[in-house]
Amino acid sequence: MKQTVYTASPESQQIHVWSLNSQGELTLVQVVDAPGQVQPMVISPDKRFLYVGVRPEFRVIAYRIAPDDGRLSEAGAAALPGSPTHISTDRQGKFLFSASYNAGSVSVTPLGQDGLPGNVVFQAEGLEGCHSANISPDNRTLWVPALKQDRICLFTLSDDGALTAQTPAEVATVEGAGPRHMAFHPNQQYAYCVNELNGSVDVWELKDPNGKIECVQTLDMMPPDFSDTRWAADIHITPDGRHLYTCDRTASTITVFSVSEDGSVLAIEGYQPTETQPRGFNVDHSGNYLIAAGQKSHHIAVYEIKGEQGLLEEKGRYAVGQGPMWVVVNAH
């Protein structure tokens, strides 16, 4: 399996393209100068395109991915109604979702059969601090955390890209939690949400046959002796569902969780110091490596995921562009 790692550095307006080998070593393949501050990124389900959100001219840019070495070539672009904070696609590659923190909204952009983005077909507003849009494993429900409202809004995705509020229309976190990014267990029965403001992780059970969604666990992700301002950012799970990771930018730490076999229970296994102000990270498709970006160190670090606990051991450190804040990995 060949793997390519893409890192977005908005301050220098660059995307770095890296080849990741089986020993966890990165080799620089390409540096792309982006037309603006490149921030969120997502790879299409068919692995043919990298979609990138840029500002200050709010757009999504589609880059075609070369199948042999992962190099990028710009293929198309489309306007977005607000500054893109997070972008994602549905699981069939028909729609792209853009969450906008500043606009308090999530928009839906159709993706053509050629993979290129079209004009926005739907926008849901009134989502204060909208921080991500996360399609459920069954491709039916879009989970949209509204950080400033301590709620995650639930929308049904229609065949034409419209979003309809579900019943119930939302689930609530505790006051002051600030729900931000999410991950789903591969068994499709549980979702995990990292809360930016109180540094916790919520476990949401999805499997109730009547559609009821329940928070079955909330776990503090910070070390017991941490007393500074909590500023959690990102969350990812390994492909086998055994290990979950979150990061905090103030502490510059990645928290390591083990996940119970059914996905319902998290337990903290350790804390890994990492690059300064880790805004984004990701796990490779083999589940063997984690790549973290330091927004203030202007470097990325590769860690090997080791043993039953899933603890991290640094394998290498690489300079990238300025202010790196997004990492995605493609397998081809």
Side-chain angles (χ1 to χ4, degrees):
M1 175 175 61
K2 289 184 177 180
Q3 294 196 89
T4 303
V5 176
Y6 301 94
T7 57
S9 300
E11 292 175 23
S12 54
Q13 301 185 14
Q14 293 172 316
I15 302 168
H16 285 64
V17 181
W18 306 85
S19 174
L20 174 68
N21 70 16
S22 59
Q23 285 74 48
E25 299 165 334
L26 292 179
T27 302
L28 185 62
V29 174
Q30 183 188 23
V31 179
V32 177
D33 291 322
Q37 297 175 14
V38 52
Q39 296 196 349
M41 303 188 295
V42 68
I43 293 166
S44 63
D46 64 10
K47 303 177 181 179
R48 294 190 305 138
F49 290 91
L50 177 72
Y51 301 113
V52 176
V54 298
R55 64 179 192 181
E57 188 178 331
F58 306 149
R59 289 185 294 162
V60 57
I61 300 174
Y63 289 96
R64 188 171 281 107
I65 297 173
D68 53 346
D69 61 5
R71 286 177 175 268
L72 301 177
S73 56
E74 187 172 337
L80 294 172
S83 178
T85 303
H86 178 282
I87 61 173
S88 60
T89 73
D90 78 314
R91 296 182 185 273
Q92 298 173 353
K94 293 175 58 180
F95 300 106
L96 180 137
F97 312 112
S98 177
S100 178
Y101 181 92
N102 291 332
S105 67
V106 62
S107 61
V108 183
T109 296
L111 299 171
Q113 290 187 341
D114 58 2
L116 301 184
N119 296 323
V120 168
V121 294
F122 191 86
Q123 184 178 12
E125 299 181 292
L127 306 167
E128 293 182 25
C130 182
H131 223 299
S132 64
N134 312 271
I135 196 69
S136 62
D138 64 5
N139 209 48
R140 176 179 177 270
T141 301
L142 191 68
W143 292 60
V144 184
L147 184 148
K148 293 182 178 180
Q149 296 171 325
D150 293 322
R151 62 178 182 147
I152 305 174
C153 299
L154 305 171
F155 297 96
T156 298
L157 175 66
S158 71
D159 291 339
D160 62 0
L163 299 176
T164 305
Q166 291 191 355
T167 304
E170 63 186 57
V171 292
T173 67
V174 299
E175 185 177 351
R180 179 181 169 98
H181 286 181
M182 298 185 66
F184 293 96
H185 193 278
N187 70 10
Q188 306 187 10
Q189 303 300 305
Y190 293 90
Y192 312 95
C193 183
V194 64
N195 298 308
E196 175 179 326
L197 303 181
N198 74 355
S200 68
V201 178
D202 290 329
V203 181
W204 296 95
E205 186 177 61
L206 312 180
K207 62 186 180 181
D208 183 89
N210 300 314
K212 181 182 177 184
I213 298 168
E214 182 181 359
C215 182
V216 295
Q217 185 186 18
T218 298
L219 196 58
D220 187 347
M221 61 178 264
M222 301 305 295
D225 60 351
F226 182 80
S227 59
D228 206 339
T229 302
R230 293 168 179 240
W231 200 25
D234 208 1
I235 183 169
H236 292 282
I237 193 168
T238 54
D240 62 8
R242 294 176 55 207
H243 309 296
L244 183 82
Y245 302 90
T246 61
C247 61
D248 181 88
R249 288 167 286 182
T250 301
S252 295
T253 297
I254 296 172
T255 303
V256 179
F257 300 86
S258 58
V259 186
S260 63
E261 188 171 349
D262 69 351
S264 65
V265 179
L266 302 179
I268 291 179
E269 299 290 351
Y271 306 95
Q272 175 66 44
T274 189
E275 296 295 319
T276 306
Q277 197 166 303
R279 168 65 168 72
F281 70 93
N282 222 314
V283 175
D284 84 315
H285 291 268
S286 72
N288 293 328
Y289 300 104
L290 182 150
I291 304 98
Q295 195 171 7
K296 294 298 186 184
S297 72
H298 316 298
H299 281 69
I300 56 173
V302 179
Y303 301 91
E304 184 176 0
I305 297 172
K306 304 197 72 173
E308 288 297 313
Q309 294 176 294
L311 299 178
L312 302 177
E313 180 180 292
E314 186 170 324
K315 299 290 289 183
R317 184 171 185 261
Y318 305 83
V320 289
Q322 296 296 294
M325 60 183 290
W326 216 272
V327 180
V328 294
V329 187
N330 194 23
H332 51 98

